[in-house]
Amino acid sequence: MAMAIRSLLIFLCILSITVPTFSLYEDQAGLMDWHQKYIGKVKHAVFQTQKTGRKRVLVSTEENVIASLDLRHGEIFWRHVLGTNDAIDGIDIAMGKYLITLSSEGSILRAWNLPDGQMWWESFLQGPSNSKSFLFVSTSTKVDKDNTILVFGKGSLHAISSMHGEIVWKVDFPAESFEVQEVIQHHDSNTIYVVGFAGFSQFDVYQINAKNGQLLKHNSAAFDGGFSGEVSLVSKAKLVVLDAAGSTLLTISFQNGEISFQKTYVSDLVKDFSGMAVILPSKLTGLFAVKTNTATTFISVSSEGQLEVVDKINHATVISDALSFSEDRQAFALVQHGDNDIHFNVKQGHDWNSDLLTERIKLNQQRGFVHKVFMNNYVRTDKSHGFRALIVMEDHSLLLLQQGAIVWSREDGLASIIGVTTSELPVEKKGVSVAKVEQNLFEWLKGHMLKVKGTLMLASAEDVAAIQGMRLKSSEKSKMIRDHNGFRKLLIVLTKSGKLFALHTGDGRIVWSLLLNSLRQSEACENPTGINVYQWQVPHHHAMNENPAVLVVGRCKPSSDAPGIFSFVDTYTGKELKSFGLDHSVAQVIPLPFTDSTEQRLHLLIDTSGKAHLYPRAPEAAAIFQLEFSNIYWYSVEADNGVIKGHGLKSSCDGEVANNYCFGAREVWSIVFPSESEKIITTITRNSNEAVHTQAKVVADQDVMYKYISKNLLFVATVSPKASGDIGSATPEESHLVVYVVDTVTGRILHRMNHHGSQGPVHAVFSENWIVYHYFNLRAHRYEMTVIEIYDQSRADNKDVWKLVLGKHNLASPMSSYSRPEVTTKSQSYYFTHSVKAITVTSTAKGITSKHLLIGTIGDQVLAMDKRFFDPRRSVNPTQSEKEEGILPLTDSLPIIPQSYVTHALKVEGLRGIVTVPAKLESATLVFTYGVDLFFTRLAPSRTYDSLTEDFSYALLLITIFVLVAAIFVTWVLSEKKDLRDKWR
């Protein structure tokens, strides 16, 4: 018997040695997360194709990103995000090896190394006043020749060395309001012409020595009608501009310093003209384009300044700048929209009727209109000239067109997400093929044919890549059906361009995308903008024939008093169900915790006049709303005026006739912060859908503390007016940060705390009964994080066991904001080493799992910190019972553990927000982080205590069970034999 047991133990030890360690290695990153890189909507682009080797295009975007893209595949070679306050004004290439960028309203000039993107030099420019910025780089492509870069910014013209970034000379113009429109320097000329406008109606021409910046000559002339819009330089000494009324074209000649104006009415060139004309920005020699209310008209300019219409195009039209593709030849691209395609034409500079290239390209209508086009040429194998075009679409996507086809495309609209919600995937039905959801019949047959070719070893390299993609798509985490644990969902995101995307949480692929017609420019809405996306209809999982839907809310103009827009979208198919314009503005959207029989969620919209509007506008919704009419309150924050108001409902809108869905508002309370001492900078409240597992909290001495849990609490942070600027704008004596906890039903201030010598920005998160906020301590020169926990003293008597036994406790009594709450607070502050962009908290289905704070750091990473680090009851020497409870010893600063970074070694460039979504599995939470990049992962704050991990070795488990059963049988046989031998003795 002993020998058998010894043999069993030796076998199990050997088996345990062969089991690998299940740690997270570098190659395992990405199994439960994905990371996508974007750049945003392109503003400027320059091609670098002169050298042999990799061809690239350098771009700058509206997200303040500069990047180098591969022309063959559209991949990012390198990229830099400059920051929210460092907008890029222009880019160009100098010396054939540097990318020059001008940013921050013409005050910062940088040179970046083209191959690797390293910054070579940086120059800060100063001037007497703010002004329009302008960048001019010599067209010479000679490498290592130190050409001079001309920059107009801050009211001054700077000449800067392209080799070292040193300022060679600087010219300050006498007129403070002078704005440069063009800087002209002819080849092999030492004279620079600077032309622009001073004030409303004065045109100035400055002649400057290119070597030393000496002012050679200055001429000016006035035009009574004034100037407006873009300027088109049509020759070396001639430009065209519109007058202030937008109805007259002015041809301005400034040859040899003599300025002359020549007027031509737009109505003489364009029939049926009305309103205001606009000159399209372009740099074409002897030609410019004017956009009117009816069409786009191309007009040529003769040497005498006479204007003549060349062509008139009624379709949406975009033109590129002129491109020199030989010694004396210029070309430009013209893009027109057809029914289901675009017409791409390349025309020669002086000959409108000759097309160097004509192509028609099929285009997805969900990309919208073409917004910009950048053209480049290349030499074919037969020595003829070919052309390619970089296209920026209405949905902010980027396409490269070449030889009549789309070479590659990038969905860079995802770099500007403004709203996020989630949707469940369909439930797998018995007898219904999953192909109904995932793909059509043709794609299903095509996939099986590819698999057969792969089995027979007949698949090409492209077929093998397609098969691998299909396998990835059909993997467990990428299926288009709902899973048991709730890990697979759809992320519904709304972008700044008005496009809606559905992203699969398994691998981040785009399931569908929809460019909303309601958020596109039209006669009814000249400049529509999206606000947010909300869950509208979430059918119960038994309602198999109903699809969930989302509500997209927008405005016709960026101003808050513009009329609102509604759009409803099916989250399974990506089709717009309906859309309509509202007859009122949208200042605030309040999702209510009620649904009708079709499971549409009720929403209350507050307009700028304070009226409340109920949606959906249906009798059933109105009846449900009337039952809860007296229990609905909301608040509004007027940060500029320092006022917070609480509102309730009145019976109906004043002056409204027969409208059961509009309600008046009554002011219940108001808090006015004195403007001379406090300014509101941050307000935050609890997530209305947060689940709280228990109200009681058992502390170390077996005492019970009851959390004050109310969805009607508001956290407010104010600073002194002098400290409302950037960090360091005020001294510690002038700065103070005051935080409040306010009940939004009664306006009662439950807690107030003053941090002397501190200032914002303040980032905060509110969960259950606690608040954590981040700010800067000027006295300590460090960031701090403070936690506040709120407890309900009115339930303190429930600690008596006999009251609980006899049922005399008040645990089941309803909480009311009108009954004066007896609350107590506990707080503690800690130093923190990072600046913060965003803070949120993990959320789970039942609220049982411990909370982790997710902190978006200044390094564009997400740090997960256990809520236990922010326990206000931490002490230097915790007692044994406190240690058993899990209270950590007190330290003055919060520890940052490198392994706690959720994003691993990755960065979410331009991080703006973190969204957490509970899974069905209580231990897990889904985290989506967005900015210029996207990142998604799955977290288990308390580890996977309710499930086995995906890499759990079931084979080892079965082998172990088999070995144990065999060992039991063997030992039983041996034991029986031993007993038999003992009995025969």
Side-chain angles (χ1 to χ4, degrees):
M1 180 68 181
M3 180 65 68
I5 296 175
R6 191 180 298 110
S7 301
L8 175 63
L9 292 175
I10 294 173
F11 175 79
L12 291 177
C13 291
I14 295 173
L15 189 64
S16 63
I17 294 173
T18 60
V19 177
T21 304
F22 291 99
S23 303
L24 182 65
Y25 293 99
E26 184 179 359
D27 59 350
Q28 290 179 301
L31 294 178
M32 295 185 297
D33 55 66
W34 45 264
H35 180 231
Q36 297 175 356
K37 293 183 178 181
Y38 298 100
I39 56 175
K41 185 181 181 181
V42 172
K43 292 195 301 184
H44 313 98
V46 290
F47 291 86
Q48 175 67 8
T49 58
Q50 288 83 6
K51 290 184 177 181
T52 58
R54 290 184 174 180
K55 311 297 182 182
R56 67 189 73 203
V57 57
L58 292 309
V59 298
S60 68
T61 71
E62 292 183 354
E63 301 298 325
N64 301 337
V65 177
I66 56 172
S68 174
L69 304 180
D70 181 11
L71 267 183
R72 179 171 295 180
H73 305 291
E75 298 172 349
I76 299 174
F77 280 142
W78 54 262
R79 179 187 61 166
H80 294 289
V81 182
L82 300 186
T84 55
N85 299 322
D86 197 5
I88 302 170
D89 306 315
I91 64 172
D92 211 334
I93 294 178
M95 301 174 60
K97 60 180 181 179
Y98 297 136
L99 173 66
I100 307 297
T101 62
L102 179 66
S103 59
S104 294
E105 298 179 347
S107 60
I108 303 177
L109 191 69
R110 299 181 178 96
W112 311 84
N113 196 25
L114 281 180
D116 54 14
Q118 293 185 3
M119 189 170 68
W120 196 252
W121 52 258
E122 183 178 38
S123 182
F124 294 91
L125 312 179
Q126 297 179 353
S129 61
N130 292 329
S131 61
K132 177 182 176 182
S133 59
F134 190 90
L135 173 66
F136 178 82
V137 179
S138 174
T139 56
S140 175
T141 58
K142 294 182 179 179
V143 180
D144 297 331
K145 181 180 180 182
D146 191 3
N147 299 318
T148 301
I149 302 171
L150 300 177
V151 177
F152 179 79
K154 299 296 182 181
S156 302
L157 182 68
H158 303 78
I160 298 168
S161 167
S162 57
M163 181 72 76
H164 307 291
E166 299 175 351
I167 299 176
V168 180
W169 49 260
K170 174 185 174 183
V171 176
D172 294 327
F173 296 95
E176 293 184 0
S177 60
F178 178 71
E179 288 192 356
V180 168
Q181 300 297 325
E182 292 289 345
V183 175
I184 306 162
Q185 183 180 12
H186 307 315
H187 292 291
D188 301 327
S189 174
N190 292 327
T191 303
I192 298 172
Y193 291 85
V194 180
V195 297
F197 302 133
F200 174 74
S201 59
Q202 182 173 316
F203 179 77
D204 289 80
V205 179
Y206 293 88
Q207 297 183 35
I208 299 172
N209 190 317
K211 292 184 177 180
N212 53 25
Q214 180 183 359
L215 180 62
L216 304 177
K217 193 175 183 180
H218 173 219
N219 299 88
S220 64
F223 178 73
D224 296 335
F227 311 104
S228 67
E230 292 283 341
V231 170
S232 181
L233 184 68
V234 294
S235 67
K236 296 179 179 179
K238 195 182 274 79
L239 56 84
V240 179
V241 67
L242 283 163
D243 68 343
S247 60
T248 304
L249 287 166
L250 300 175
T251 305
I252 306 176
S253 300
F254 48 93
Q255 186 72 32
N256 299 323
E258 300 294 330
I259 302 174
S260 63
F261 300 100
Q262 190 170 347
K263 296 195 303 182
T264 305
Y265 293 104
V266 178
S267 57
D268 295 340
L269 300 172
V270 181
K271 295 181 179 179
D272 301 328
F273 167 73
S274 62
M276 293 183 64
V278 176
I279 294 180
L280 297 181
S282 61
K283 297 180 180 179
L284 308 178
T285 303
L287 191 72
F288 67 98
V290 175
K291 184 178 181 181
T292 62
N293 58 336
T294 57
T296 300
T297 306
F298 292 87
I299 303 171
S300 65
V301 184
S302 65
S303 57
E304 293 80 16
Q306 299 295 326
L307 305 184
E308 182 181 355
V309 175
V310 174
D311 198 357
K312 181 179 178 182
I313 300 175
N314 296 323
H315 303 288
T317 307
V318 181
I319 57 176
S320 71
D321 290 340
L323 173 70
S324 298
F325 63 96
S326 62
E327 294 182 358
D328 55 350
R329 300 174 67 189
Q330 283 190 337
F332 65 94
L334 175 66
V335 178
Q336 305 174 53
H337 277 272
D339 295 332
N340 295 315
D341 53 12
I342 60 172
H343 302 235
F344 176 61
N345 297 330
V346 177
K347 294 183 176 291
Q348 199 163 341
H350 291 285
D351 190 358
W352 180 266
N353 296 321
S354 65
D355 291 342
L356 298 174
L357 181 66
T358 301
E359 295 175 345
R360 183 170 294 185
I361 300 145
K362 292 289 183 182
L363 200 62
N364 186 354
Q365 295 300 309
Q366 294 302 323
R367 297 192 183 276
F369 294 124
V370 176
H371 274 195
K372 290 184 180 180
V373 56
F374 305 93
M375 191 178 65
N376 178 243
N377 69 298
Y378 61 94
V379 180
R380 299 190 181 102
T381 55
D382 59 355
K383 304 301 181 181
S384 62
H385 289 279
F387 299 92
R388 61 172 70 96
L390 192 68
I391 304 290
V392 183
M393 303 301 297
E394 183 180 353
D395 67 341
H396 298 185
S397 60
L398 189 66
L399 292 77
L400 183 72
L401 308 182
Q402 187 171 332
Q403 296 181 353
I406 299 175
V407 180
W408 51 259
S409 62
R410 295 179 52 89
E411 291 288 355
D412 284 302
L414 287 169
S416 57
I417 293 176
I418 59 176
V420 181
T421 189
T422 59
S423 174
E424 294 289 347
L425 285 165
V427 179
E428 187 176 17
K429 307 179 190 179
K430 292 183 179 179
V432 178
S433 174
V434 183
K436 180 180 178 181
V437 179
E438 292 184 334
Q439 57 193 5
N440 56 38
L441 181 61
F442 174 76
E443 292 176 345
W444 183 80
L445 291 173
K446 180 181 177 182
H448 278 274
M449 290 298 296
L450 285 174
K451 290 179 181 178
V452 170
K453 291 175 67 176
T455 305
L456 300 176
M457 305 294 290
L458 300 175
S460 62
E462 291 79 8
D463 293 338
V464 172
I467 293 171
Q468 291 176 349
M470 290 171 56
R471 287 175 179 170
L472 179 62
K473 186 176 180 180
S474 62
S475 65
E476 190 67 25
K477 73 174 185 177
S478 304
K479 285 186 176 180
M480 280 294 297
I481 55 174
R482 200 176 303 183
D483 63 316
H484 177 71
N485 293 325
F487 296 153
R488 293 196 295 263
K489 297 179 185 290
L490 288 180
L491 292 169
I492 311 298
V493 299
L494 176 66
T495 64
K496 194 184 296 182
S497 63
K499 193 170 186 178
L500 207 62
F501 291 87
L503 307 177
H504 197 291
T505 57
D507 52 8
R509 73 179 185 275
I510 299 174
V511 178
W512 55 259
S513 61
L514 175 66
L515 184 62
L516 296 168
N517 290 323
S518 56
L519 294 181
R520 299 181 67 183
Q521 187 174 359
S522 62
E523 294 182 1
C525 283
E526 297 180 357
N527 190 14
T529 178
I531 300 176
N532 208 339
V533 57
Y534 303 90
Q535 290 184 345
W536 174 254
Q537 188 175 21
V538 186
H540 194 263
H541 69 276
H542 293 300
M544 305 298 292
N545 295 324
E546 293 289 339
N547 290 356
V550 293
L551 165 66
V552 179
V553 182
R555 298 190 183 100
C556 277
K557 294 180 182 178
S559 59
S560 60
D561 57 349
I565 303 168
F566 263 20
S567 182
F568 304 90
V569 180
D570 188 317
T571 61
Y572 286 174
T573 62
K575 293 181 180 179
E576 190 172 18
L577 302 175
K578 61 178 178 178
S579 65
F580 53 86
L582 307 180
D583 56 359
H584 57 82
S585 59
V586 179
Q588 192 174 354
V589 181
I590 305 174
L592 301 175
F594 320 120
T595 58
D596 60 13
S597 60
T598 62
E599 301 194 68
Q600 291 182 349
R601 189 169 184 178
L602 274 61
H603 288 71
L604 198 65
L605 271 67
I606 314 300
D607 61 19
T608 52
S609 62
K611 296 178 181 179
H613 304 265
L614 176 65
Y615 291 90
R617 294 195 170 190
E620 183 187 2
I624 297 172
F625 185 74
Q626 286 295 336
L627 295 175
E628 301 291 339
F629 186 85
S630 59
N631 296 326
I632 295 176
Y633 299 88
W634 72 93
Y635 67 92
S636 61
V637 179
E638 301 175 13
D640 295 335
N641 300 327
V643 179
I644 301 177
K645 297 180 180 180
H647 306 277
L649 291 172
K650 291 194 299 185
S651 58
S652 61
C653 290
D654 298 332
E656 294 287 336
V657 179
N659 189 343
N660 297 326
Y661 310 105
C662 180
F663 305 91
R666 56 187 177 89
E667 185 177 319
V668 180
W669 55 267
S670 64
I671 300 176
V672 180
F673 298 95
S675 58
E676 63 275 4
S677 60
E678 294 185 60
K679 181 179 180 181
I680 301 173
I681 59 170
T682 302
T683 59
I684 194 169
T685 187
R686 271 187 60 196
N687 182 4
S688 59
N689 297 324
E690 183 184 28
V692 180
H693 176 60
T694 178
Q695 186 183 357
K697 181 178 182 179
V698 181
V699 295
D701 55 358
Q702 303 303 315
D703 195 5
V704 179
M705 301 177 68
Y706 292 92
K707 305 173 185 177
Y708 186 74
I709 299 173
S710 172
K711 294 183 179 180
N712 301 317
L713 295 184
L714 175 68
F715 171 79
V716 183
T718 66
V719 295
S720 56
K722 290 185 178 180
S724 60
D726 297 332
I727 294 176
S729 59
T731 62
E733 291 73 20
E734 298 172 332
S735 305
H736 63 264
L737 170 69
V738 186
V739 298
Y740 302 85
V741 180
V742 181
D743 190 301
T744 59
V745 174
T746 62
R748 185 179 291 117
I749 297 176
L750 303 180
H751 179 71
R752 181 182 183 274
M753 181 183 293
N754 195 339
H755 299 273
H756 293 286
S758 299
Q759 72 172 112
V762 174
H763 298 275
V765 61
F766 199 149
S767 176
E768 293 189 355
N769 69 318
W770 52 266
I771 308 161
V772 174
Y773 55 98
H774 175 276
Y775 56 93
F776 189 77
N777 188 328
L778 290 170
R779 297 183 186 276
H781 300 284
R782 298 174 71 176
Y783 288 101
E784 281 187 8
M785 296 186 76
T786 298
V787 57
I788 300 173
E789 290 188 356
I790 309 170
Y791 294 96
D792 189 355
Q793 288 292 97
S794 64
R795 303 179 188 268
D797 295 338
N798 296 329
K799 291 179 288 186
D800 190 343
V801 177
W802 288 108
K803 284 188 176 182
L804 293 174
V805 172
L806 298 175
K808 294 184 178 181
H809 60 83
N810 62 350
L811 289 176
S813 61
M815 293 181 60
S816 174
S817 295
Y818 286 105
S819 60
R820 188 174 186 88
E822 299 178 23
V823 299
T824 182
T825 60
K826 296 180 179 293
S827 63
Q828 185 71 268
S829 297
Y830 306 93
Y831 290 124
F832 192 66
T833 56
H834 284 307
S835 178
V836 166
K837 288 187 173 183
I839 303 179
T840 190
V841 65
T842 57
S843 58
T844 55
K846 303 297 182 183
I848 301 173
T849 307
S850 61
K851 302 283 187 179
H852 275 205
L853 267 73
L854 301 179
I855 303 172
T857 66
I858 193 65
D860 291 327
Q861 292 184 295
V862 179
L863 176 69
M865 296 196 69
D866 197 322
K867 170 60 175 62
R868 293 188 303 162
F869 287 113
F870 300 91
D871 195 326
R873 297 187 298 120
R874 289 176 62 184
S875 58
V876 178
N877 296 310
T879 63
Q880 183 61 33
S881 58
E882 288 177 337
K883 291 180 181 179
E884 293 175 357
E885 184 189 347
I887 294 180
L888 303 174
L890 179 65
T891 56
D892 60 345
S893 60
L894 294 169
I896 295 179
I897 305 171
Q899 292 81 3
S900 297
Y901 281 100
V902 174
T903 50
H904 315 302
L906 303 173
K907 282 189 176 183
V908 185
E909 295 283 1
L911 188 150
R912 293 193 304 273
I914 307 171
V915 178
T916 60
V917 182
K920 288 183 180 180
L921 199 65
E922 171 57 28
S923 64
T925 181
L926 310 180
V927 181
F928 177 61
T929 307
Y930 62 92
V932 176
D933 295 346
L934 306 182
F935 180 82
F936 176 87
T937 190
R938 186 169 79 233
L939 295 181
S942 299
R943 300 187 182 274
T944 52
Y945 59 84
D946 54 357
S947 65
L948 297 175
T949 59
E950 291 183 352
D951 54 356
F952 181 81
S953 179
Y954 293 95
L956 177 62
L957 178 62
L958 292 175
I959 292 172
T960 305
I961 294 173
F962 176 78
V963 170
L964 289 175
V965 172
I968 292 172
F969 179 77
V970 170
T971 54
W972 177 75
V973 171
L974 294 175
S975 177
E976 289 293 324
K977 289 182 177 181
K978 183 177 181 297
D979 290 342
L980 183 61
R981 286 195 303 268
D982 292 341
K983 289 179 180 179
W984 279 101
R985 289 179 182 176

